[in-house]
Amino acid sequence: MTTKDRQIERRWEQLHTWGPYGLLGISVVLALASTGVFDRSTEWYAAWTLVAVAVALQLWWHGTRSRRAGRGRIPSRAGTAYYVVRWALAFALAWIDPFFAFYAAAGYMDADELIPGRWQRLGLFASAVTVAGAQAGGLPFGSGVQWILFAALLVANSGLQMVVAHLTQQEAQRSRERTETITELERTNAALQQALDENAALHAQLLVQAREAGVADERRRLAAEIHDTIAQGLTGIIAQLQVVANTPDPGAARVHLGRASELARQSLGEARRSVHNLAPVALEHDGLPEALKKTVADWARRTGVRADFTLTGTVEHLHEEISATLLRIAQEALSNASRHARAARLGVTLSFMGDEVTLDVRDDGRGFDPAAVPERTGNGGFGLDGMRARAERVAGSLTLESEPGHGTAVSARVPLVRHDR
């Protein structure tokens, strides 16, 4: 129930509680004004007695009503008895003076609260008889004209109160329907909140699983890079040192030592690059476009290959996982190009296209036949598989186009997920 409904309910309660007092007071004042305060007739002695009884009846019902306040507007035997006795008092008083019809009109206000459903219309009709009789000139009637006028007034009063009773019943029905609708909405909201809570728990569980999957992927990537770069570099160093140990020629020994030193520097660089990929510090202070631009520029300076970065579309602030995924794919593609492509020119393009982001890395190197690439084994490479796994982990995809002598193009397409603010 809303605050407005509670206010209306409280006002109805006040009207039902104090309305009969007010109507009785109005009747007494008007009756005294019309007959005189000092009227000492027998009828007025009877009227004063009946008024005292009516006040006592109202006080009794006031106390009874207060004790039944928690039961709501439910008709009872006590309420029906109060209504009948009040009607009888009002009828007797209206017989003495027609102005007491105001007190009789109290029956219009609370018949629905005091009388059971099938008897309500009878109670309203009885009140209409008293009011119509008073309006026709007072009881008893002294002429046929009064009887005709009484009949017309009775029809008018009964019709009016029946219309009011019908409207009241409709309003009560609408109120019950609103209450049922509100109750149903509350149940629906509770079920929706429970579903949201369950969804939040499931989302948290999925995040945990995604993190665990990411950790597993990162471990596999590191294992692959260590195998493909650092382990192979260390193997080459060992081979060169073995040649040095077995050759008596100082000149040949220096050549092999130089090769061993170069392999050591390359292995150190690969180790640093692997650690860098594990924690993309390039994204700590820059967005993805700036980080890619710097990465491409650093790669060009390190390799001596001309490399260009191009940005298209409206730049969005991407979710950190999306940014990290694209940056690492770009780093992996650049690493593969430096090791295998022997390119003279390379281009990196980042494209924001509505609901997705595309990263393209193209070079004019020697290329290869993708169908001829062996499946990954215990001794095979991880580069392309690693990039594809990264893209798929964020619901994206990776495609590769290459042909011997015509360069290589790697394209990663991922959904555009904005940064959580």
Side-chain angles (χ1 to χ4, degrees), residues 380-396:
F382 281 74
L384 292 175
D385 289 336
M387 288 188 288
R388 184 172 289 108
R390 290 184 193 279
E392 291 175 352
R393 192 169 65 240
V394 293

Side-chain angles (χ1 to χ4, degrees), residues 178-226:
R178 284 197 300 269
T179 301
E180 292 174 357
T181 301
I182 292 172
T183 302
E184 183 63 27
L185 287 174
E186 289 176 347
R187 286 197 295 266
T188 302
N189 288 337
L192 179 60
Q193 184 61 46
Q194 182 179 1
L196 290 174
D197 293 340
E198 292 175 355
N199 184 61
L202 179 60
H203 181 66
Q205 182 179 358
L206 290 175
L207 286 178
V208 171
Q209 293 176 351
R211 292 191 185 97
E212 292 175 350
V215 170
D217 288 345
E218 198 63 24
R219 287 175 177 172
R220 286 192 293 270
R221 186 192 69 79
L222 286 175
E225 291 202 3
I226 290 172

Side-chain angles (χ1 to χ4, degrees), residues 370 409 411:
S411 179

